[in-house]
Amino acid sequence: AYLCRSNQWNNIMSQELYIHNSITRKKEKFEPFRPPHVGLYVCGPTVYGEAHLGHARPAVTFDLLYRYLRHLDYKVRYVRNITDVGHLESDADQGEDKIAKKARLEKLEPMEIAEHYTRSYHKNMDQLNILRPNIEPRASGHILEQQQLVKEILEQGYAYMSNGSVYFDVAKYNDQYNYGKLSGRNIEELRANTRELEGQEEKKNPFDFALWKKAAPEHIMQWPSEWSSGFPGWHLECSAMSTKYLGHPFDIHGGGMDLIFPHHDCEIAQSTAADGKEAVRYWMHNNMVTINGQKMGKSLGNFITLNQFFSGNHELLDQPFSPMTIRFFTLQAHYRSPLDFSSEALQAAEKGLEKLMKASEAIDKLEPGDKSDMDLEAMRDKCYQALNDDLNTPVLFSHIFELVRYINSILQGHMQIRQEDIAELKKLFQVFVHDILGLEREESEGETAELTGNIIDMILQIRLEAKKNKDFETADKIRDRLKDLGVIVKDTRDGFEWEIE
């Protein structure tokens, strides 16, 4: 089985998970709307550039949540979107579409840009051992659903048309509901702080936001509608796609803290205006990745891509760092705490991960004794308590490294463990380290090269036996297939030689 199930290890469903709900600003017991089913929606990337560490953090955070919910035997439908239209440079209603701008600079079609960086994002997520979501909808594939949501908001009287665009009427909504309840902003604060920007004269108030934008003739990504030929507002897509696949309401909506305002405040307003009630029961937000205390992000130009981490090709990096090191580094901090990058912190994470993986491998080498010097059942309960306390990975790691020290003490002859507890110890590592935290042993380049060489030698030994048995057809087939794969074989008096082109 992929994850440990309740019929294998006590009654896992008895575990009570508490998560911090951003909208109530407190930890709450997680109780699904339709148990055992759980609907989880997470804001995915806008695909106009390479993924960086700031993208890795929410991916790892909600991968951990997804893995743990599945471990607790919930039937999770995990939806994570791809934004490929409607996200403007200002993160609001002005400026050029981020993907269209990249396409113009690269002299490509916008969908070429979106496809290229979506594939790159997927590759990086696979390297980080992030489980794929059950559904990964794209904004451009759900234009009709977004148009229908605009119609519903207009019908309820919380939006207005202006010069072919449709805007959400924040002030009117606030008369009935509470706009900004997630971020804590109020309408007067918005009046005082929202700048009057060029092109906003068609709005009733500068803090109103676009549900549908009329496109200029030169705008590449546009669709016909009853209001104009245009495109949906950035905030609209998540409201439309989350409820399409998860229903109204659904359980958990996740994302980075930088999305609380305006994106998630606007999502709440849209769903409530259309349906009369909020769509999300629990809001979860991970904190930011920082460099010298400043948020890492493309807009600030201080980001390091994941590919640069993996290659070491960046001025702030002293060396390359493996995907598992990045995952371990990310999980060391609580998801609601800032994660401050430094090359030194990553080097420390690399050493910690190596200790953890060595201890995991060493369990099979333990010699059983007459007693066990650690209560593994109590340790298992502590690990659950840490996860059930709002996914407290720092505390979980403190317990896991206590197990690492225990393993090393047994190896050194200072402590003992009974035979039956060795299996329990192995299960603890499998469940918490590998299944839930998603940490795995990585082969170094040297180990990979050695394995490849051994496999080629084995295949050529089989070819040599075929030649001795005068089965030249098989021998030639092996040689030709290896050549197709870039391995050049040269027969010698003593046997063979080979090289990779």
Side-chain angles (χ1 to χ4, degrees):
Y2 178 70
L3 295 176
C4 181
R5 297 300 184 188
S6 58
N7 62 353
Q8 294 174 311
W9 209 19
N10 293 342
N11 186 8
I12 295 175
M13 281 295 284
S14 67
Q15 299 295 329
E16 292 188 348
L17 171 62
Y18 284 77
I19 56 178
H20 185 273
N21 192 346
S22 300
I23 205 156
T24 61
R25 295 166 179 79
K26 63 182 181 181
K27 293 179 190 176
E28 297 179 356
K29 182 181 176 181
F30 176 63
E31 296 179 303
F33 183 60
R34 298 182 185 88
H37 299 279
V38 173
L40 169 63
Y41 184 91
V42 176
C43 287
T46 301
V47 283
Y48 70 103
E50 299 287 351
H52 55 70
L53 192 58
H55 294 114
R57 187 159 204 202
V60 171
T61 295
F62 293 104
D63 183 63
L64 170 67
L65 176 64
Y66 180 40
R67 286 168 176 269
Y68 191 49
L69 289 171
R70 285 177 52 172
H71 174 74
L72 296 179
D73 264 354
Y74 289 115
K75 300 182 185 303
V76 186
R77 179 176 290 169
Y78 178 18
V79 182
R80 185 185 65 208
N81 71 298
I82 294 289
T83 297
D84 57 359
V85 65
H87 195 170
L88 306 185
E89 291 178 285
S90 61
D91 288 350
D93 301 326
Q94 296 78 39
E96 195 172 1
D97 184 290
K98 293 183 177 185
I99 292 171
K101 180 180 179 180
K102 183 73 170 180
R104 177 174 56 79
L105 294 174
E106 298 286 340
K107 294 183 172 56
L108 296 170
E109 284 292 321
M111 287 299 107
E112 285 184 274
I113 294 294
E115 186 63 29
H116 172 79
Y117 288 113
T118 298
R119 290 178 182 178
S120 176
Y121 176 79
H122 285 155
K123 179 182 177 182
N124 287 156
M125 296 304 103
D126 290 345
Q127 289 170 312
L128 290 169
N129 200 22
I130 305 294
L131 301 179
R132 294 285 181 98
N134 302 109
I135 303 172
E136 192 172 52
R138 298 191 184 202
S140 63
H142 294 75
I143 299 299
L144 293 178
E145 289 87 348
Q146 294 176 80
Q147 290 178 347
Q148 180 59 36
L149 183 55
V150 174
K151 290 178 187 178
E152 292 170 6
I153 296 172
L154 278 167
E155 289 169 1
Q156 296 300 323
Y158 293 109
Y160 56 90
M161 291 177 283
S162 179
N163 297 329
S165 294
V166 182
Y167 291 98
F168 191 92
D169 193 333
V170 172
K172 186 171 182 180
Y173 172 85
N174 199 65
D175 289 339
Q176 178 70 29
Y177 303 103
N178 177 15
Y179 179 79
K181 65 182 298 185
L182 185 62
S183 66
R185 287 169 168 80
N186 59 54
I187 196 82
E188 295 308 319
E189 184 182 351
L190 292 174
R191 288 186 198 279
N193 295 332
T194 303
R195 295 178 295 141
E196 293 280 0
L197 298 173
E198 183 181 349
Q200 288 197 345
E201 59 274 1
E202 61 187 25
K203 297 182 181 182
K204 288 183 181 179
N205 290 293
F207 47 72
D208 292 345
F209 58 91
L211 299 173
W212 185 264
K213 283 285 286 183
K214 180 180 180 180
E218 66 274 11
H219 195 97
I220 298 174
M221 291 188 288
Q222 54 181 287
W223 291 263
S225 77
E226 61 187 74
W227 314 291
S228 64
S229 181
F231 55 91
W234 172 40
H235 312 304
L236 194 68
E237 61 176 279
C238 289
S239 291
M241 294 190 295
S242 61
T243 53
K244 174 181 174 66
Y245 293 109
L246 299 176
H248 193 147
F250 64 91
D251 293 302
I252 302 173
H253 193 314
M257 286 181 66
D258 56 334
L259 296 177
I260 290 177
F261 181 84
H263 188 50
H264 290 162
D265 271 335
C266 292
E267 276 193 62
I268 292 171
Q270 289 165 165
S271 299
T272 306
D275 201 53
K277 62 179 183 291
E278 292 181 30
V280 180
R281 303 178 68 241
Y282 300 87
W283 286 90
M284 294 181 70
H285 292 92
N286 63 274
N287 212 317
M288 297 296 97
V289 177
T290 57
I291 296 181
N292 299 322
Q294 185 181 39
K295 175 197 164 188
M296 177 183 287
K298 285 192 176 76
S299 59
L300 299 172
N302 65 348
F303 64 94
I304 304 174
T305 70
L306 292 173
N307 289 331
Q308 287 172 326
F309 276 109
F310 302 156
S311 68
N313 186 24
H314 192 281
E315 60 184 6
L316 293 177
L317 298 173
D318 297 331
Q319 64 180 77
F321 294 98
S322 72
M324 281 300 102
T325 298
I326 299 300
R327 185 177 179 106
F328 180 82
F329 170 69
T330 304
L331 288 168
Q332 277 186 306
H334 190 276
Y335 77 90
R336 288 194 294 112
S337 300
L339 180 66
D340 197 46
F341 157 81
S342 71
S343 199
E344 293 76 17
L346 279 170
Q347 287 168 352
E350 185 177 58
K351 292 177 182 176
L353 177 64
E354 182 65 18
K355 288 180 182 177
L356 185 57
M357 291 299 107
K358 284 183 177 179
S360 180
E361 293 170 355
I363 295 173
D364 289 331
K365 302 174 185 175
L366 297 180
E367 294 291 336
D370 299 328
K371 63 176 182 175
S372 289
D373 289 318
M374 179 176 285
D375 186 342
L376 295 180
E377 185 174 341
M379 183 59 72
R380 181 195 65 202
D381 291 343
K382 287 180 181 179
C383 289
Y384 273 124
Q385 288 166 17
L387 286 167
N388 290 333
D389 183 18
D390 195 28
L391 304 178
N392 198 327
T393 52
V395 171
L396 175 60
F397 273 123
S398 71
H399 299 322
I400 290 171
F401 275 96
E402 190 174 342
L403 291 172
V404 170
R405 290 188 289 274
Y406 178 47
I407 291 167
N408 291 334
S409 294
I410 297 169
L411 291 171
Q412 295 163 8
H414 303 313
M415 286 188 169
Q416 294 186 54
I417 185 169
R418 289 191 299 263
Q419 179 68 54
E420 59 268 28
D421 283 342
I422 293 176
E424 181 72 9
L425 182 60
K426 191 168 186 174
K427 192 180 291 185
L428 280 168
F429 269 76
Q430 181 62 46
V431 169
F432 292 106
V433 176
H434 303 303
D435 291 349
I436 296 174
L437 291 173
L439 296 169
E440 299 294 346
R441 178 73 174 180
E442 294 173 306
E443 290 182 344
S444 67
E445 289 186 13
E447 289 173 329
T448 302
E450 182 180 1
L451 176 62
T452 301
N454 290 337
I455 292 172
I456 294 172
D457 284 338
M458 180 183 68
I459 293 170
L460 289 176
Q461 285 293 344
I462 294 171
R463 177 175 178 265
L464 205 58
E465 288 298 318
K467 287 177 67 178
K468 287 179 181 177
N469 294 330
K470 301 188 184 301
D471 184 1
F472 299 112
E473 182 181 353
T474 299
D476 291 345
K477 188 180 292 185
I478 292 172
R479 181 197 60 209
D480 294 343
R481 184 65 184 122
L482 285 172
K483 184 178 181 180
D484 291 341
L485 296 172
V487 179
I488 306 302
V489 179
K490 181 182 178 182
D491 291 314
T492 67
R493 180 180 298 176
D494 299 324
F496 55 80
E497 294 177 354
W498 60 268
E499 63 179 11
I500 297 176
E501 283 186 313

